[in-house]
């Protein structure tokens, strides 16, 4: 706040919570220590120990994230999955049930569908685009509704207000994984979500050089997760905290550049003869474009998928002809990352499962970085023409 004016996410990202660091250092030093000298703390939970997430690095970054998410409190964890699994377990017990969006991130999906049953916690999958179907999935034991602000590979956006209203009307907690949008495009707590989760490995860190996660919400809810987190032990190391603090300062710049690059590339690909469909909520003809305007200021993030008309091999020809992107999974980094899901993340699925997941042989997933859009466009164009050249070649014409 400056006078009555709330600070924008751009300023909060740079400023953090402006603590005064030791020795007048302009950035926070890394306290590379497992333990802290005893200073007469009363009670086990007050003793400072790095696993207990209460050293200066943890305190500073969690306050910074809470400021960005506009929540009372937050905490970082050793991965996005550590944040997600710990947060869910903190609020669920044997006999409970949760509703989960059917297109959630693979790790979360597997945790809920394969691991939680061992704790006797059951689930029902919901179609986030059909709020009128959610009621039928409710049980007396339902405790949580869990969604993602933006999903892969279809670039789906749930009606976030409908999720919060449904949760309130049915006394559920609302959880949201905000990784693909980041706090730059969306602050779900402002809409009333109880728990906001991020894989900080992605946009927050932003440089493909660390694994981390975060959870944010009211003081009471964050404290409840933290109590379990300290015992599950998925605590983030001080070095990675330093890298995230550094990454956060450029988070808004990077997210905006990735969004505009993604839109430029998606619009280009839509017009190419080798491309069937482009799935990006930033495009006007996408089903959820209206929700992107409503909730994300019109920006749809840096990730989209498109379907090449051709085969698995055409996809490989295209990928290997590209000169700028790295052929790697993940997203939210400065460099463009690209994969062919049928051969990587979704390999091994049956044709039916593949279809249900929205993956075709020629589907390409692009997680756009912050390179210059003109360079990416030129590179994608030449790689598409490499498919045509390879065809001519194999037909023996050339
Ligand atoms: C990557 C990712 C996760 C898991 O994060 P890790 O840091 O890899 O554990 C969770 N949700 C979404 C949407 C992701 O993209």
């Amino acid at each position: 706040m400056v006078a009555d004016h709330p600070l924008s996410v751009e300023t909060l990202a740079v400023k953090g919570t402006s603590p005064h660091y030791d020795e007048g250092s302009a950035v926070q030093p890394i306290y590379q220590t497992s333990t802290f000298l005893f200073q007469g703390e009363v009670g086990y939970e007050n003793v400072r120990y790095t696993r207990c997430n209460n050293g200066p690095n943890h305190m500073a970054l969690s306050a910074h994230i809470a400021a960005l998410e506009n929540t009372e409190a937050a905490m970082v964890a050793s991965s996005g999955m550590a944040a997600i699994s710990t947060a869910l377990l903190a609020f669920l017990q044997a006999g409970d049930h949760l509703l989960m969006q059917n297109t959630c991130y693979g790790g979360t999906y597997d945790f809920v569908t394969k691991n939680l049953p061992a704790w006797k916690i059951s689930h029902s999958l919901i179609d986030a685009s059909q709020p009128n179907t959610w009621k039928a999935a409710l049980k007396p034991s339902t405790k949580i509704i869990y969604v993602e602000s933006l999903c892969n590979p279809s670039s789906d956006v749930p009606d976030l207000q409908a999720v919060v209203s449904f949760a309130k009307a049915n006394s559920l907690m609302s959880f949201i994984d905000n990784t693909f949008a980041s706090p730059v495009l969306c602050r779900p707590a402002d809409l009333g979500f109880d728990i906001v989760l991020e894989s900080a490995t992605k946009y927050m860190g932003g440089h493909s050089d660390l694994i981390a996660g975060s959870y944010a919400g009211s003081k009471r809810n964050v404290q409840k997760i933290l109590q379990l987190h300290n015992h599950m032990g998925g605590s983030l190391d001080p070095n990675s905290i330093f890298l995230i603090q550094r990454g956060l300062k450029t988070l808004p710049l990077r997210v905006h550049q990735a969004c505009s690059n993604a839109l430029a590339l998606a619009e280009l690909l839509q017009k190419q003869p080798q491309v069937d469909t482009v799935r990006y909520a930033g495009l006007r003809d996408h089903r959820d474009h209206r929700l992107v305007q409503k909730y994300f200021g019109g920006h749809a993030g840096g990730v989209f998928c498109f379907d090449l008309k051709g085969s698995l091999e055409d996809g490989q020809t295209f990928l290997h002809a590209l000169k700028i992107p790295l052929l790697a999974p993940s997203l939210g980094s400065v460099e463009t990352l690209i994969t062919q899901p049928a051969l990587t993340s979704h390999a091994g699925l049956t044709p039916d499962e593949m279809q249900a997941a929205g993956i075709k042989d020629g589907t390409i997933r692009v997680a756009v970085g912050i390179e210059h859009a003109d360079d990416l466009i030129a590179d994608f164009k030449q790689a598409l023409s490499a498919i045509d050249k390879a065809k001519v070649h194999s037909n023996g014409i050339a």
Side-chain angles (χ1 to χ4, degrees), residues 328-346:
S330 198
L331 66 125
S333 188
V334 288
E335 64 276 311
T336 297
L337 304 174
I338 195 161
T339 58
Q340 187 173 4
L343 292 177
T344 53
S345 54
H346 294 68

Side-chain angles (χ1 to χ4, degrees), residues 259-293:
C259 288
S260 74
N261 282 354
L263 184 60
L265 263 185
E267 283 176 340
L268 169 96
L269 288 165
Q270 257 190 332
K271 294 184 225 132
Q272 305 306 308
Q274 301 91 340
V275 174
D276 195 0
T277 40
V278 180
R279 293 178 260 166
Y280 183 52
L283 293 171
R284 226 165 287 132
D285 58 6
H286 189 283
R287 185 193 69 195
D288 297 335
H289 187 63
R290 172 184 67 82
L291 296 170
V292 162
Q293 285 175 313

